[in-house]
Amino acid sequence: MKKSTGSIDKEIGSRVRMRRISVGMSQEKLGDMLGLTFQQVQKYEKGTNRISVGRLVDIAKILGVDIHFFFNGIKSGKADAGFAEEEAPPYISEVMSTPEGLQLIRTFTNIKSPKVRKSIVQLVSVLATQDDE
């Protein structure tokens, strides 16, 4: 029987990708530092291949995060629903896993004026409701 990956593997892979992109590292560079090909890094990030704990520790060191970074907020499925933490909407990790999303967030957080921030949010809201022309 073949082992398959699950949603947790995909979530951890997505967090690896998000962190790798946020530090400006290519899949090839991460692969080189791990002694892997960039294709293997791709499979980890997509959740196609499961990342071992030892490998995840190595990835955390290379990407400059604590190992808990990859697990924060992931539910084991055994928590009592009354005490479960509220889950972040899926679009947050989707945005954070794209270069454009990370650039937008980095740039937006550098804007100090609340008035300018509000104007940008209003602009993006208008643009999001328009049909592609």
Side-chain angles (χ1 to χ4, degrees), residues 5 9 13 27 37-51:
T5 59
D9 299 302
Q27 288 177 331
T37 64
F38 79 91
Q39 291 96 334
Q40 182 63 46
V41 173
Q42 278 181 334
K43 290 179 182 181
Y44 284 158
E45 290 181 356
K46 289 179 182 177
T48 306
N49 287 2
R50 184 169 287 150
I51 305 173

Side-chain angles (χ1 to χ4, degrees), residues 68-128:
H68 296 99
F69 171 85
F70 301 110
F71 299 103
N72 285 340
I74 294 179
K75 295 187 176 104
S76 67
K78 296 179 182 178
D80 186 350
F83 296 102
E85 291 181 22
E86 189 174 322
E87 193 170 315
Y91 62 84
I92 300 229
S93 62
E94 288 173 22
V95 168
M96 293 294 290
S97 67
T98 66
E100 298 86 4
L102 283 169
Q103 182 181 7
L104 181 65
I105 290 168
R106 273 194 217 114
T107 307
F108 184 80
T109 56
N110 287 331
I111 298 169
K112 303 301 179 213
S113 168
K115 196 174 187 178
V116 173
R117 283 180 175 222
K118 186 174 182 177
S119 296
I120 290 171
V121 170
Q122 289 171 340
L123 173 64
V124 172
S125 296
V126 169
L127 292 172

Side-chain angles (χ1 to χ4, degrees), residues 19 23 25 57-67 69-70:
R19 180 62 185 170
V23 298
M25 185 178 290
V57 167
D58 293 341
I59 292 170
K61 286 178 186 173
I62 291 168
L63 297 179
V65 292
D66 187 271
I67 188 78
F69 171 85
F70 301 110

